[in-house]
Amino acid sequence: MKREADGTPLFAWQPVAKVIVFPMIKRVGKIRTTAANMLAKSTDRHAEFYRDQVTTALLKQMAKAGILEAEQDEQLGAFWSAVQVEIIRLAYRGSQPGGTAA
């Protein structure tokens, strides 16, 4: 069997794997569910606790997938920004004349 310059067998070489993250901002179902759950919380303390739970779960998922910390932070920030936009949308929709029927 022929060897490469670094001494490894030619067919033993494996390319470096790169994890490609599905953008958190595209997880529309998760964003909508999280926003609705945040709005349903009766106190700011409950909402903060729920936010911490969601954050911990998402970080664990990304770490398990091998995503670097910097990318985790970026994805998490984008996710929570999208949740905030959805919360505003839901709150605005509910304040329209006629409620949510529109």
Side-chain angles (χ1 to χ4, degrees):
M1 184 182 318
K2 189 172 183 180
R3 292 192 167 278
E4 291 291 315
D6 66 355
T8 59
L10 181 62
F11 296 108
W13 177 81
Q14 294 291 323
V16 177
K18 181 178 180 184
V19 176
I20 299 173
V21 180
F22 183 78
M24 294 295 290
I25 199 164
K26 300 291 186 184
R27 294 182 66 181
V28 177
K30 180 72 172 168
I31 290 167
R32 287 181 179 163
T33 300
T34 303
N37 288 341
M38 291 287 287
L39 284 172
K41 299 303 175 194
S42 57
T43 67
D44 287 344
R45 187 173 181 195
H46 289 149
E48 186 177 329
F49 183 75
Y50 177 70
R51 181 184 172 108
D52 290 344
Q53 285 180 316
V54 171
T55 297
T56 300
L58 292 173
L59 287 172
K60 282 182 182 178
Q61 287 175 359
M62 289 187 283
K64 188 175 180 181
I67 299 167
L68 299 176
E69 266 190 56
E71 181 71 13
Q72 289 178 27
D73 290 343
E74 186 177 319
Q75 291 295 320
L76 197 59
F79 174 80
W80 283 113
S81 292
V83 169
Q84 185 63 37
V85 168
E86 181 67 11
I87 287 171
I88 292 167
R89 188 188 70 77
L90 290 172
Y92 179 75
R93 185 179 76 179
S95 68
Q96 293 295 301
T100 59

